[in-house]
Amino acid sequence: MPRLSFSLFWRAHRVSPHLATLLPVCRDLISARNELRWIRQHVVDLMSHTSGKTRTSPQTKNAQIALLTRLCRRRGIGVPLQYVLGSQPFGNLDIKCRPGVLIPRPETEAWVTHLADIACRHTDTNRAGGAANLRVLDLCLGSGCIGLLLHSLLERQFPRLSVRGFDVESDAVVLARQNLVHNTRRGLLHNPNDSILFLDADIFDPAWLASLVRHGGREHGRMRRGPVVDVLVSNPPYISTRGFDRDTERSVRNYEPKRALVPPPKPAIADGKPEDVFYVRLLEILEVLRSRFAVFEVGDLEQARRVAEMAIRQFEGVGAGVVKVEIWRDWPDMQPEEHEVDSMEISGLQIPVKGSGNGRAVFIRRAT
């Protein structure tokens, strides 16, 4: 990364010392100005909420300056802006962020929005229980952003929508619950009541899956013939230890939780990579729950290829047309660039590659 010139720092300092503080991490004046504006507005909003005063007293102004200086210094040493501001927009939601829980990404927001559109267009609301009983399961939920945005996008079409989210990290579950309350109070989620539930769980625990089937697979006292869960989503840890140390950005390595990005040691996968271990379990869960739609986020196009191949092998022999697999890029609604392929051959099948950008998710659809 090239060094910034002294003249650039001088120009920034002439505008504001805070601008110069932000410059090393922002790398240019336009980005630094934007971030300074956001931090200033955050400070004003925070101090106004704390003091409850509309007019700024000298004491309040001094406190604002001190807080602004402290936050700019934190950002200047590389702390992610979302941790500095304490939140990140995600669709129409405002997601609280804090150290120890992964920050929501815009690429994740893109595939969640794309999935919601597919669920709305391809769910037969005339079938028994169709609109009333759409069930969403979010595994490795993190901040809760995926499940909450799906609820926000689907709740009008599916009045009795339910979202369940699980994570092995208690800090993530606590934050997800706070985001549920926060967005409900802001009027961004309507009538969630008990339709959204976030709980601690280890998805590798056989007892957890058995309990999920036992409680979710029954309807009116009888075993449900259809899927236990309609939509299964997950953004699991998917980066190798080597990839985390060499390929991730410095701010990610230094400040975001490694455990949310790098899978813990698990039993070896036959002919597989350790960073793919979660997908083996997720595909097992998908088969047991008979979910109609599933989306698993991945790290790149090569990992997407591997996960797609796992899915094809998992459902081999089920029947032609029963299970369809697609790979989604960062922006699945965009047209691919000229150099970006729109399909690839995997296990003798032509698998669609939709959108533009990096490989981002694997989509699996089971016919009803």
Side-chain angles (χ1 to χ4, degrees):
M1 183 180 295
R3 292 188 301 172
L4 301 176
S5 67
F6 175 79
S7 62
L8 188 61
F9 276 101
W10 176 245
R11 287 169 55 198
H13 197 277
R14 289 183 62 184
V15 176
S16 166
H18 299 309
L19 202 62
T21 300
L22 296 172
L23 194 55
V25 71
C26 294
R27 307 300 298 173
D28 63 71
L29 284 176
I30 294 176
S31 298
R33 283 178 183 271
N34 283 332
E35 293 206 3
L36 179 56
R37 175 168 53 84
W38 294 331
I39 296 173
R40 275 179 172 155
Q41 187 59 53
H42 172 69
V43 168
V44 170
D45 294 342
L46 188 63
M47 298 299 289
S48 298
H49 177 74
T50 303
S51 65
K53 298 177 181 179
T54 56
R55 299 185 66 180
T56 305
S57 66
Q59 294 83 357
T60 300
K61 190 169 184 62
N62 289 338
Q64 287 181 350
I65 293 172
L67 179 58
L68 177 63
T69 300
R70 186 164 69 251
L71 295 183
C72 286
R73 285 175 178 171
R74 288 189 65 211
R75 178 60 182 142
I77 63 173
V79 177
L81 181 66
Q82 293 86 346
Y83 289 158
V84 172
L85 299 179
S87 67
Q88 167 66 26
F90 195 77
N92 64 320
L93 304 180
D94 181 59
I95 298 297
K96 288 181 173 293
C97 303
R98 66 163 174 248
V101 181
L102 197 67
I103 296 168
R105 264 57 176 187
E107 295 85 358
T108 303
E109 176 188 328
W111 72 249
V112 171
T113 303
H114 191 63
L115 172 61
D117 181 61
I118 289 174
C120 288
R121 287 188 290 110
H122 294 284
T123 297
D124 182 5
T125 56
N126 293 319
R127 67 183 175 88
N133 294 316
L134 192 75
R135 298 165 297 271
V136 176
L137 183 64
D138 179 12
L139 303 181
C140 308
L141 66 93
S143 65
C145 60
I146 294 175
L148 292 173
L149 183 55
L150 281 174
H151 191 283
S152 174
L153 295 172
L154 296 172
E155 60 184 351
R156 292 187 178 179
Q157 180 158 339
F158 303 98
R160 286 163 54 193
L161 168 74
S162 71
V163 174
R164 298 292 182 266
F166 294 91
D167 203 294
V168 72
E169 297 292 340
S170 296
D171 287 348
V173 176
V174 170
L175 182 59
R177 290 171 177 169
Q178 291 175 353
N179 276 317
L180 168 58
V181 173
H182 174 63
N183 284 279
T184 301
R185 287 176 175 171
R186 290 170 62 96
L188 302 176
L189 291 170
H190 306 288
N191 303 318
N193 298 322
D194 60 350
S195 66
I196 304 177
L197 188 63
F198 297 136
L199 298 169
D200 296 75
D202 180 356
I203 69 169
F204 288 91
D205 181 3
W208 166 80
L209 182 55
S211 175
L212 202 64
V213 173
R214 186 166 59 251
H215 292 95
R218 304 189 75 84
E219 190 171 49
H220 306 304
R222 296 178 298 178
M223 289 303 296
R224 183 186 291 115
R225 298 182 61 184
V228 177
V229 169
D230 298 288
V231 181
L232 174 64
V233 291
S234 183
N235 181 10
Y238 54 64
I239 301 176
S240 66
T241 299
R242 185 172 182 268
F244 180 85
D245 294 336
R246 294 184 51 169
D247 301 330
T248 56
E249 296 178 5
R250 182 181 301 175
S251 64
V252 174
R253 293 196 303 272
N254 291 346
Y255 296 102
E256 295 200 62
K258 183 177 181 179
R259 63 183 179 274
L261 297 164
V262 179
K266 295 288 181 183
I269 310 171
D271 301 324
K273 295 179 178 291
E275 60 266 34
D276 295 342
V277 66
F278 268 86
Y279 301 110
V280 175
R281 180 57 171 166
L282 289 169
L283 287 168
E284 291 174 352
I285 294 169
L286 172 60
E287 186 169 21
V288 170
L289 300 183
R290 307 185 300 277
S291 304
R292 298 176 54 242
F293 305 108
V295 179
F296 305 144
E297 183 159 329
V298 296
D300 54 30
L301 197 58
E302 185 54 40
Q303 189 172 47
R305 174 192 284 273
R306 297 197 303 269
V307 175
E309 188 172 13
M310 289 182 204
I312 293 168
R313 290 202 308 263
Q314 180 88 8
F315 297 104
E316 187 177 9
V318 170
V322 175
V323 177
K324 296 181 179 180
V325 178
E326 296 176 357
I327 292 172
W328 293 351
R329 296 182 183 272
D330 289 332
W331 317 111
D333 288 322
M334 292 181 61
Q335 291 296 318
E337 300 289 338
E338 288 186 6
H339 65 281
E340 294 175 336
V341 299
D342 59 6
S343 68
M344 61 173 59
E345 184 177 339
I346 303 176
S347 298
L349 300 174
Q350 283 296 320
I351 301 300
V353 181
K354 294 191 172 181
S356 182
N358 184 34
R360 180 57 51 188
V362 174
F363 170 69
I364 303 166
R365 180 183 173 190
R366 294 167 59 109
T368 53

Coordinates of all heavy atoms in Angstrom, one line a residue, residues 4-59:
L4 N 1.0 7.8 2.1 CA 0.3 9.1 1.8 C 1.3 10.2 1.9 O 2.2 10.2 2.8 CB -0.8 9.3 2.8 CG -1.9 8.2 2.8 CD1 -2.9 8.5 3.8 CD2 -2.6 8.1 1.4
S5 N 1.2 11.2 1.0 CA 2.1 12.3 1.0 C 1.9 13.3 2.2 O 0.8 13.4 2.7 CB 2.0 13.1 -0.3 OG 0.7 13.7 -0.4
F6 N 2.9 14.0 2.5 CA 2.8 15.0 3.6 C 1.9 16.1 3.2 O 1.1 16.6 4.0 CB 4.2 15.6 3.9 CG 4.2 16.7 4.9 CD1 4.1 16.5 6.3 CD2 4.2 18.0 4.5 CE1 4.0 17.5 7.2 CE2 4.2 19.1 5.4 CZ 4.1 18.8 6.7
S7 N 1.9 16.4 1.9 CA 1.0 17.5 1.5 C -0.5 17.2 1.6 O -1.3 18.0 1.9 CB 1.3 17.9 0.0 OG 1.1 16.7 -0.8
L8 N -0.8 15.9 1.4 CA -2.2 15.4 1.6 C -2.6 15.6 3.1 O -3.7 16.0 3.4 CB -2.3 14.0 1.1 CG -3.8 13.4 1.1 CD1 -4.6 14.3 0.1 CD2 -3.8 12.0 0.7
F9 N -1.7 15.2 4.0 CA -2.0 15.3 5.4 C -2.1 16.8 5.8 O -3.0 17.2 6.6 CB -0.9 14.7 6.3 CG -1.0 13.2 6.5 CD1 -0.3 12.3 5.7 CD2 -1.9 12.8 7.4 CE1 -0.4 11.0 5.9 CE2 -2.1 11.4 7.6 CZ -1.3 10.5 6.9
W10 N -1.3 17.7 5.2 CA -1.4 19.1 5.5 C -2.7 19.7 5.0 O -3.4 20.5 5.7 CB -0.2 19.8 4.8 CG -0.3 21.3 4.9 CD1 -0.4 22.2 4.0 CD2 -0.1 22.0 6.2 NE1 -0.4 23.5 4.5 CE2 -0.2 23.4 5.8 CE3 0.1 21.7 7.5 CZ2 -0.1 24.4 6.8 CZ3 0.1 22.7 8.4 CH2 0.0 24.0 8.1
R11 N -3.2 19.3 3.8 CA -4.5 19.7 3.3 C -5.6 19.3 4.2 O -6.5 20.0 4.5 CB -4.7 19.2 1.9 CG -3.8 19.9 0.8 CD -3.9 19.1 -0.5 NE -5.3 18.9 -1.0 CZ -5.7 18.0 -1.9 NH1 -4.8 17.2 -2.4 NH2 -6.9 18.0 -2.2
A12 N -5.5 18.0 4.6 CA -6.5 17.5 5.5 C -6.5 18.3 6.9 O -7.6 18.6 7.4 CB -6.3 16.0 5.8
H13 N -5.4 18.5 7.4 CA -5.3 19.2 8.7 C -5.8 20.6 8.6 O -6.3 21.1 9.6 CB -3.8 19.1 9.2 CG -3.7 19.4 10.7 ND1 -3.7 20.7 11.2 CD2 -3.6 18.6 11.7 CE1 -3.5 20.6 12.5 NE2 -3.5 19.4 12.9
R14 N -5.6 21.3 7.5 CA -6.1 22.6 7.4 C -7.6 22.7 7.4 O -8.2 23.7 7.9 CB -5.6 23.2 6.0 CG -4.1 23.5 6.0 CD -3.7 24.2 4.7 NE -4.4 25.5 4.5 CZ -4.3 26.2 3.4 NH1 -3.5 25.7 2.4 NH2 -4.9 27.4 3.3
V15 N -8.3 21.6 7.0 CA -9.7 21.6 7.1 C -10.1 21.2 8.5 O -11.0 21.9 9.1 CB -10.3 20.5 6.1 CG1 -11.8 20.4 6.3 CG2 -9.9 20.9 4.7
S16 N -9.5 20.1 9.0 CA -9.8 19.7 10.4 C -8.8 18.7 10.9 O -8.4 17.8 10.1 CB -11.2 19.0 10.4 OG -11.4 18.3 11.7
P17 N -8.3 18.8 12.1 CA -7.4 17.8 12.6 C -8.0 16.4 12.6 O -7.3 15.4 12.4 CB -7.1 18.3 14.1 CG -7.4 19.7 14.1 CD -8.5 19.9 13.1
H18 N -9.3 16.3 12.8 CA -10.0 15.0 12.8 C -9.9 14.4 11.4 O -9.8 13.2 11.3 CB -11.4 15.2 13.1 CG -11.7 15.7 14.5 ND1 -11.0 15.2 15.6 CD2 -12.4 16.8 14.9 CE1 -11.4 15.9 16.7 NE2 -12.3 16.9 16.3
L19 N -9.9 15.2 10.3 CA -9.8 14.7 9.0 C -8.4 14.1 8.8 O -8.3 13.0 8.2 CB -10.0 15.8 8.0 CG -10.4 15.5 6.5 CD1 -11.8 14.8 6.6 CD2 -10.5 16.7 5.7
A20 N -7.4 14.7 9.3 CA -6.0 14.1 9.2 C -5.9 12.9 10.0 O -5.2 11.9 9.6 CB -5.0 15.2 9.7
T21 N -6.6 12.8 11.1 CA -6.6 11.5 11.9 C -7.2 10.4 11.2 O -6.8 9.2 11.3 CB -7.4 11.8 13.2 OG1 -6.8 12.8 14.0 CG2 -7.4 10.5 14.1
L22 N -8.3 10.6 10.4 CA -9.0 9.6 9.7 C -8.3 9.2 8.4 O -8.5 8.1 7.8 CB -10.4 10.0 9.3 CG -11.3 10.3 10.5 CD1 -12.6 10.9 10.0 CD2 -11.6 9.0 11.3
L23 N -7.4 10.1 7.9 CA -6.8 9.9 6.5 C -6.0 8.5 6.4 O -6.2 7.9 5.4 CB -5.9 11.1 6.2 CG -5.5 11.2 4.7 CD1 -6.7 11.2 3.8 CD2 -4.6 12.5 4.6
P24 N -5.2 8.1 7.4 CA -4.5 6.9 7.2 C -5.3 5.7 6.9 O -4.9 4.8 6.2 CB -3.7 6.7 8.5 CG -3.6 8.1 9.0 CD -4.9 8.8 8.6
V25 N -6.5 5.6 7.5 CA -7.4 4.4 7.3 C -8.3 4.6 6.1 O -8.6 3.7 5.4 CB -8.2 4.1 8.6 CG1 -9.3 5.1 8.8 CG2 -8.8 2.7 8.5
C26 N -8.7 5.9 5.8 CA -9.6 6.1 4.7 C -8.9 6.2 3.4 O -9.5 6.0 2.3 CB -10.4 7.4 5.0 SG -11.5 7.3 6.3
R27 N -7.6 6.7 3.4 CA -6.7 6.7 2.3 C -6.9 7.8 1.3 O -6.1 8.1 0.4 CB -6.7 5.4 1.5 CG -6.5 4.2 2.3 CD -5.1 4.2 3.0 NE -4.0 4.2 2.0 CZ -2.7 4.4 2.4 NH1 -2.4 4.6 3.7 NH2 -1.8 4.4 1.5
D28 N -8.1 8.5 1.3 CA -8.3 9.7 0.5 C -9.2 10.7 1.2 O -9.9 10.3 2.1 CB -8.9 9.3 -0.9 CG -10.2 8.6 -0.8 OD1 -11.2 9.4 -0.5 OD2 -10.3 7.4 -1.0
L29 N -9.2 11.9 0.7 CA -9.9 13.0 1.4 C -11.4 12.8 1.3 O -12.2 13.1 2.2 CB -9.5 14.4 0.8 CG -8.1 14.9 1.3 CD1 -7.8 16.2 0.6 CD2 -8.1 15.1 2.8
I30 N -11.9 12.3 0.2 CA -13.4 12.2 0.0 C -13.9 11.2 1.0 O -14.9 11.4 1.7 CB -13.7 11.8 -1.4 CG1 -13.4 12.9 -2.4 CG2 -15.2 11.4 -1.5 CD1 -13.6 12.5 -3.9
S31 N -13.3 10.0 1.1 CA -13.7 9.0 2.1 C -13.6 9.5 3.5 O -14.5 9.3 4.4 CB -12.9 7.7 1.9 OG -13.1 7.2 0.6
A32 N -12.5 10.2 3.8 CA -12.3 10.8 5.2 C -13.3 11.8 5.5 O -13.8 11.8 6.6 CB -10.9 11.4 5.3
R33 N -13.7 12.7 4.6 CA -14.8 13.6 4.8 C -16.1 13.0 5.1 O -16.8 13.4 6.0 CB -14.9 14.6 3.6 CG -13.9 15.6 3.4 CD -14.1 16.4 2.1 NE -13.1 17.4 1.9 CZ -13.1 18.6 2.3 NH1 -14.1 19.1 3.1 NH2 -12.1 19.5 2.0
N34 N -16.4 11.9 4.3 CA -17.7 11.2 4.6 C -17.7 10.6 6.0 O -18.7 10.7 6.7 CB -17.9 10.1 3.5 CG -18.3 10.7 2.2 OD1 -19.0 11.7 2.1 ND2 -18.0 10.0 1.1
E35 N -16.6 9.9 6.3 CA -16.6 9.3 7.6 C -16.6 10.3 8.8 O -17.3 10.0 9.8 CB -15.4 8.3 7.7 CG -15.4 7.2 6.8 CD -14.6 6.0 7.3 OE1 -14.1 6.0 8.4 OE2 -14.6 5.0 6.6
L36 N -16.0 11.4 8.6 CA -16.0 12.5 9.6 C -17.4 13.0 9.8 O -17.9 13.2 10.9 CB -15.0 13.6 9.3 CG -15.0 14.8 10.2 CD1 -14.7 14.3 11.7 CD2 -14.0 15.8 9.8
R37 N -18.1 13.1 8.7 CA -19.5 13.6 8.7 C -20.4 12.6 9.5 O -21.2 13.0 10.3 CB -20.0 13.8 7.3 CG -21.5 14.2 7.2 CD -21.8 14.7 5.8 NE -21.4 13.7 4.8 CZ -22.1 12.7 4.4 NH1 -23.3 12.4 5.0 NH2 -21.7 11.9 3.5
W38 N -20.2 11.3 9.2 CA -21.0 10.3 9.9 C -20.7 10.2 11.4 O -21.6 10.1 12.2 CB -20.7 8.9 9.2 CG -21.2 8.8 7.8 CD1 -22.2 9.5 7.2 CD2 -20.6 8.0 6.8 NE1 -22.4 9.1 5.9 CE2 -21.4 8.2 5.6 CE3 -19.5 7.1 6.7 CZ2 -21.1 7.6 4.4 CZ3 -19.3 6.5 5.5 CH2 -20.0 6.7 4.4
I39 N -19.4 10.4 11.7 CA -19.1 10.3 13.1 C -19.6 11.5 13.8 O -20.1 11.4 15.0 CB -17.5 10.2 13.3 CG1 -17.0 8.8 12.7 CG2 -17.1 10.3 14.7 CD1 -15.5 8.7 12.6
R40 N -19.5 12.7 13.2 CA -20.0 13.9 13.8 C -21.5 13.8 14.1 O -22.0 14.2 15.2 CB -19.8 15.1 12.9 CG -18.4 15.7 13.1 CD -18.2 16.9 12.2 NE -17.0 17.6 12.5 CZ -16.3 18.4 11.6 NH1 -16.8 18.5 10.3 NH2 -15.2 19.0 11.9
Q41 N -22.3 13.3 13.1 CA -23.7 13.2 13.3 C -24.0 12.2 14.4 O -25.0 12.3 15.1 CB -24.3 12.7 11.9 CG -25.9 12.7 12.0 CD -26.4 14.1 12.3 OE1 -26.1 15.0 11.6 NE2 -27.3 14.1 13.3
H42 N -23.2 11.1 14.4 CA -23.4 10.1 15.5 C -23.2 10.7 16.9 O -24.0 10.5 17.8 CB -22.4 8.9 15.3 CG -22.4 8.0 16.4 ND1 -23.4 7.1 16.7 CD2 -21.4 7.7 17.4 CE1 -23.1 6.3 17.7 NE2 -21.9 6.7 18.2
V43 N -22.2 11.6 17.0 CA -21.9 12.2 18.3 C -23.1 13.2 18.6 O -23.5 13.2 19.8 CB -20.6 13.0 18.2 CG1 -20.4 13.9 19.4 CG2 -19.4 12.0 18.1
V44 N -23.6 13.9 17.7 CA -24.7 14.9 17.9 C -25.9 14.1 18.4 O -26.6 14.4 19.4 CB -25.0 15.7 16.7 CG1 -26.3 16.5 16.9 CG2 -23.8 16.7 16.4
D45 N -26.2 13.0 17.6 CA -27.4 12.2 18.0 C -27.3 11.6 19.4 O -28.2 11.6 20.2 CB -27.6 11.1 16.9 CG -28.0 11.7 15.6 OD1 -28.4 12.9 15.5 OD2 -27.9 11.0 14.6
L46 N -26.1 11.1 19.6 CA -25.9 10.4 20.9 C -25.9 11.4 22.1 O -26.6 11.1 23.1 CB -24.5 9.7 20.9 CG -24.1 8.8 22.1 CD1 -25.1 7.6 22.1 CD2 -22.7 8.3 22.0
M47 N -25.3 12.5 21.9 CA -25.3 13.5 23.0 C -26.7 14.1 23.2 O -27.2 14.4 24.3 CB -24.3 14.7 22.7 CG -22.9 14.2 22.7 SD -22.3 13.4 24.2 CE -22.2 14.9 25.3
S48 N -27.5 14.3 22.1 CA -28.8 14.8 22.2 C -29.7 13.9 22.9 O -30.6 14.2 23.8 CB -29.4 15.1 20.8 OG -28.6 16.1 20.2
H49 N -29.6 12.6 22.6 CA -30.4 11.5 23.3 C -30.0 11.4 24.7 O -30.9 11.2 25.6 CB -30.1 10.2 22.6 CG -30.9 9.1 23.2 ND1 -32.2 8.9 23.1 CD2 -30.4 8.0 24.0 CE1 -32.6 7.8 23.7 NE2 -31.5 7.3 24.3
T50 N -28.7 11.6 25.1 CA -28.3 11.4 26.5 C -28.7 12.6 27.3 O -29.2 12.4 28.4 CB -26.7 11.3 26.5 OG1 -26.3 10.2 25.7 CG2 -26.3 11.1 28.0
S51 N -28.6 13.8 26.8 CA -28.9 15.0 27.6 C -30.4 15.4 27.5 O -30.9 16.0 28.4 CB -28.1 16.2 27.1 OG -28.4 16.6 25.7
G52 N -31.0 15.0 26.4 CA -32.4 15.4 26.2 C -32.6 16.8 26.0 O -33.8 17.3 26.1
K53 N -31.6 17.5 25.6 CA -31.7 19.0 25.3 C -31.6 19.2 23.9 O -30.8 18.6 23.2 CB -30.6 19.7 26.1 CG -30.7 19.6 27.6 CD -29.5 20.3 28.3 CE -29.5 20.1 29.8 NZ -28.4 20.8 30.5
T54 N -32.3 20.2 23.4 CA -32.3 20.6 22.0 C -31.2 21.7 21.8 O -30.6 21.8 20.7 CB -33.6 21.1 21.5 OG1 -34.1 22.2 22.4 CG2 -34.6 20.0 21.6
R55 N -31.0 22.5 22.8 CA -29.9 23.6 22.7 C -28.6 23.1 23.3 O -28.6 22.4 24.3 CB -30.4 24.8 23.4 CG -31.7 25.4 22.8 CD -32.1 26.7 23.5 NE -31.1 27.7 23.2 CZ -31.2 29.0 23.7 NH1 -32.2 29.3 24.4 NH2 -30.3 29.9 23.4
T56 N -27.5 23.4 22.7 CA -26.2 22.9 23.1 C -25.6 23.9 24.1 O -25.3 25.1 23.7 CB -25.3 22.8 21.9 OG1 -26.0 21.9 21.0 CG2 -24.0 22.1 22.3
S57 N -25.4 23.5 25.3 CA -24.7 24.3 26.3 C -23.2 24.1 26.1 O -22.7 23.2 25.4 CB -25.0 23.8 27.7 OG -24.5 22.5 27.9
P58 N -22.4 25.1 26.7 CA -20.9 24.9 26.6 C -20.4 23.6 27.1 O -19.5 23.0 26.5 CB -20.4 26.1 27.5 CG -21.5 27.1 27.4 CD -22.8 26.3 27.4
Q59 N -21.0 23.1 28.2 CA -20.5 21.8 28.7 C -20.8 20.7 27.7 O -20.0 19.8 27.5 CB -21.3 21.5 30.1 CG -20.9 22.5 31.2 CD -21.7 23.8 31.2 OE1 -22.5 24.0 30.2 NE2 -21.4 24.6 32.1

